[in-house]
Amino acid sequence: MDVGERVKKVGIREVAKHAGVSIGAVSRILNNRDADKFPEATRDRVHVAAHELGYRPNMLARGLRTSRTHTVGLVTDMIATTPYASGIAAAAQEVAQENGVLLFLVNTGGSGTIETNAVDALLAQQVDGFIFATMSYREVDVPERLPTDTVLVNCVPRSGHYRVVVPDDYGGAHTAMRYLVEAGHRRIAFVDTDEKDPDPLASQLRFAGYRDVLHEAGIPFDENLVVEGRSDSFGGRAAVDRLLTLPAQTRPTAVFCFNDRMAAGAYIAARRHGMQVPADLSIVGYDDQALIAAEIDPGLTTVALPHHAMGRLAMKMLLGIDEPHEESLMKLECPLIVRESVRPLTQP
Amino acid sequence: MDVGERVKKVGIREVAKHAGVSIGAVSRILNNRDADKFPEATRDRVHVAAHELGYRPNMLARGLRTSRTHTVGLVTDMIATTPYASGIAAAAQEVAQENGVLLFLVNTGGSGTIETNAVDALLAQQVDGFIFATMSYREVDVPERLPTDTVLVNCVPRSGHYRVVVPDDYGGAHTAMRYLVEAGHRRIAFVDTDEKDPDPLASQLRFAGYRDVLHEAGIPFDENLVVEGRSDSFGGRAAVDRLLTLPAQTRPTAVFCFNDRMAAGAYIAARRHGMQVPADLSIVGYDDQALIAAEIDPGLTTVALPHHAMGRLAMKMLLGIDEPHEESLMKLECPLIVRESVRPLTQP
DNA sequence: TTGAAAGCGCTAACAC
DNA sequence: GTGTTAGCGCTTTCAA
């Protein structure tokens, strides 16, 4: 298909001939393996020859010989249309690149068979390691044959022992709720997702943070203030709509939403009820979702998910850089991003 | 680092011994290379042995021998936080998977040196081919050493000849504008991006569609109705804000926005001016951006970018499936997605 | 200080 | 029908 423009493959052999040394010498000099034992003249000749010929080592051959391919596999259950966690992959790739490692990316869409096949294919390519990441923070059945030195991101294994990198959702929710309580809010609703199928750790932890802050602040828990809906703006809107039809005395002054999409729905519901955000209703989200949180009006105060940090850390752990992490469970902070959707409440 | 649980590598040799045949026979039987010349009994023995031993071919060795690795490299300028075009990568990966090919993903962030290094690294891994994709539709300087059989997605090469897959932005804009004109609008604004740095083909083509429909409909072009801003909701809001302070007679009844983020800003501006969408202002976006277009209130009528289709097609072209595409420039349709942000205008 | 040679696991050409 | 063998391009041990 090509018109022969693909340069005739130059291998170590041509370099050796060109430099007038043996191929063994070339290999050792180019790889700095006791290269200092060669006189500088020889080393230069080799380097020059390699450069002139445009020599590029064949990583297949090297990998076959050394059984290290400088490739890693990242398998995720991410779905095409979900920009959610693509930051994880991007960050992992970034670190890989910084270390001369190439990343195989496989999207399984969550299918177990595809996962297994992907792992097998990757294993056949002799990858040096795996990262297994999920879109939402949950418990997972780890695919068969996934090596035990794999790093899991955004999920915990239902069985077996792996290194794991997860967001501190409990802490994030706790911070957000304290922010609301300290702003004087006492009737705070929790707008949860109703998608409880694959053990939704995120939802549980965020709810726990909600409940505990209430308790710590001596605010009685009111189950009427916990509502559920689909985890998108429609679900958020419907759920908050229900909240806002409550009698004025029991109606919340603030809502803490499971995620930013639901929070966006909360804005819509509030508007439909003739309420201003944050004047009449304060709203806090979760995720710091690009294209939503910052761009909505008014800017949404929310908790950021450390996708980038998780991706980077996972790859570093896998590549064995930055050793200090002896923990095998890394919980990363979810910082509160303060924008304009919460207003301090003067105590009634 | 592992506790030796990594099963002792079983190669073709063990399978041969186990089945009582030679390694050549195993290779040919397992690869169906004139496997029919072997009696069924032998073939079975080999298959059984391979299965029992959990044999997995080493793709490095195979690749070294056959010089086909069943891997392809996808290099993009995508930025971590931009979910924009991740659909391209997901779709490409999907097709790769369907064909037993593994995808190397490299994010360059647009840096030329990183691009070049990525291409070299990928070449060293002996990938079978490349896809080069950009986040926004524009002209690009193709990285050095990128093979000429690479498929470009969402961009056209400034020089050289490559197969290219791009969205039909002119057509999309044309469709959207006709929709507006047919709804009776005559004062239609174009809210363009002001980011003209890397030749913004998208912007040029969408503007051309805008201008041409106006002309075809006999509507005079009014330069006051073309405004620019940053291509996010803030820019859209500011630009539309300017539009809405125009005197009532010249104020637009509809705005066609460069993208959905700007359209979201247009909603905000309208609201701030006490106007309803679409009652007082009709809005059309571009991109059909996930998490925005469908979830905003009211739902945004917009033009969808065929990211998924582009990714699939590009990979198919690269892998040589679906041959009928003799064209080397594939322009993919951008369908209009009708939601609720446009209202028919009764002619004044 | 350098070269020769033995493989890494596989495929393909050639024997038998 | 099946076995043998020569590499693919590289690293690495052992000799010289």
Side-chain angles (χ1 to χ4, degrees), chain A residues 108-119 141 143-144:
Chain A
T108 65
S111 147
T113 19
I114 298 192
E115 280 175 357
T116 304
N117 289 341
V119 169
D141 290 310
E144 296 181 66

Side-chain angles (χ1 to χ4, degrees), chain B residues 12 27 33 55 65:
Chain B
I12 205 176
S27 175
R33 175 135 3 258
Y55 168 75
R65 191 62 240 262

Side-chain angles (χ1 to χ4, degrees), chain B residues 102-136:
Chain B
L102 246 19
L103 190 77
F104 279 116
L105 185 79
V106 180
N107 254 251
T108 65
S111 146
T113 20
I114 298 193
E115 279 175 357
T116 304
N117 289 340
V119 169
D120 286 345
L122 258 4
L123 246 15
Q125 290 284 352
Q126 316 294 120
V127 294
D128 293 337
F130 283 86
I131 291 180
F132 183 81
T134 52
M135 219 160 46
S136 64

Side-chain angles (χ1 to χ4, degrees), chain A:
Chain A
M1 154 194 323
D2 265 3
V3 211
E5 49 63 63
R6 210 153 201 151
V7 193
K8 192 194 310 135
K9 270 294 164 199
V10 19
I12 204 176
R13 200 196 319 282
E14 283 77 67
V15 177
K17 192 176 305 168
H18 205 84
V21 295
S22 76
I23 66 173
V26 173
S27 174
R28 275 176 295 160
I29 289 172
L30 258 24
N31 294 314
N32 270 328
R33 173 129 9 254
D34 31 64
D36 45 352
K37 292 193 173 166
F38 291 86
E40 197 166 329
T42 312
R43 283 184 295 174
D44 283 355
R45 276 210 319 280
V46 170
H47 280 123
V48 167
H51 187 256
E52 282 184 350
L53 298 175
Y55 168 74
R56 308 256 122 217
N58 180 325
M59 297 304 280
L60 292 189
R62 177 181 301 187
L64 187 57
R65 191 60 240 262
T66 62
S67 52
R68 302 217 64 232
T69 53
H70 302 275
T71 61
V72 332
L74 171 42
V75 0
T76 90
D77 65 351
M78 295 181 202
I79 295 175
T81 55
T82 321
Y84 269 103
S86 66
I88 293 176
Q93 198 270 310
E94 191 178 299
V95 174
Q97 189 160 264
E98 292 162 10
N99 292 86
V101 166
L102 246 19
L103 190 76
F104 279 117
L105 185 79
V106 181
N107 255 251
T108 65
S111 147
T113 19
I114 298 192
E115 280 175 357
T116 304
N117 289 341
V119 169
D120 285 344
L122 258 4
L123 246 14
Q125 291 285 352
Q126 316 295 119
V127 295
D128 293 337
F130 285 87
I131 291 181
F132 183 80
T134 53
M135 219 161 46
S136 63
Y137 183 14
R138 57 186 182 84
E139 269 199 326
V140 289
D141 290 310
V142 165
E144 296 181 66
R145 286 185 288 284
L146 193 71
T148 53
D149 60 351
T150 295
V151 178
L152 267 41
V153 181
N154 217 23
C155 52
V156 294
R158 205 182 301 286
S159 70
H161 187 266
Y162 295 85
R163 286 175 295 173
V164 161
V165 177
V166 293
D168 181 11
D169 272 356
Y170 175 82
H174 200 278
T175 310
M177 282 297 295
R178 286 203 37 160
Y179 179 72
L180 243 19
V181 165
E182 281 163 10
H185 292 275
R186 295 186 60 84
R187 289 201 307 285
I188 306 171
F190 183 59
V191 179
D192 199 5
T193 172
D194 64 3
E195 286 146 24
K196 309 286 189 177
D197 184 16
D199 271 312
L201 286 183
S203 157
Q204 289 168 24
L205 291 168
R206 292 174 198 178
F207 176 70
Y210 166 79
R211 195 189 359 87
D212 291 359
V213 169
L214 249 30
H215 184 253
E216 288 157 24
I219 301 173
F221 174 80
D222 178 354
E223 64 176 7
N224 293 315
L225 292 184
V226 176
V227 291
E228 292 184 351
R230 236 167 58 196
S231 65
D232 58 16
S233 87
F234 302 103
R237 176 174 163 183
V240 172
D241 189 67
R242 266 176 278 135
L243 245 21
L244 296 183
T245 54
L246 250 33
Q249 319 85 285
T250 59
R251 199 186 295 157
T253 61
V255 298
F256 175 39
C257 298
F258 173 71
N259 68 17
D260 289 354
R261 295 172 77 185
M262 298 189 83
Y267 276 59
I268 298 174
R271 196 150 51 232
R272 295 264 166 158
H273 280 261
M275 301 174 82
Q276 300 275 359
V277 176
D280 304 311
L281 184 68
S282 289
I283 299 179
V284 174
Y286 211 111
D287 287 358
D288 194 30
Q289 178 85 59
L291 310 198
I292 295 187
E295 303 201 13
I296 213 169
D297 178 48
L300 176 64
T301 291
T302 187
V303 182
L305 237 23
H307 287 311
H308 194 77
M310 292 194 296
R312 284 196 69 91
L313 178 58
M315 184 59 84
K316 284 188 173 179
M317 289 170 74
L318 185 61
L319 299 181
I321 319 169
D322 250 32
E323 280 301 351
H325 317 292
E326 259 325 304
E327 294 301 321
S328 74
L329 170 68
M330 300 295 297
K331 209 184 288 178
L332 266 44
E333 192 194 348
C334 296
L336 181 70
I337 310 293
V338 175
R339 294 202 182 88
E340 301 90 38
S341 63
V342 172
R343 109 174 168 146
L345 203 65
T346 41
Q347 211 68 8

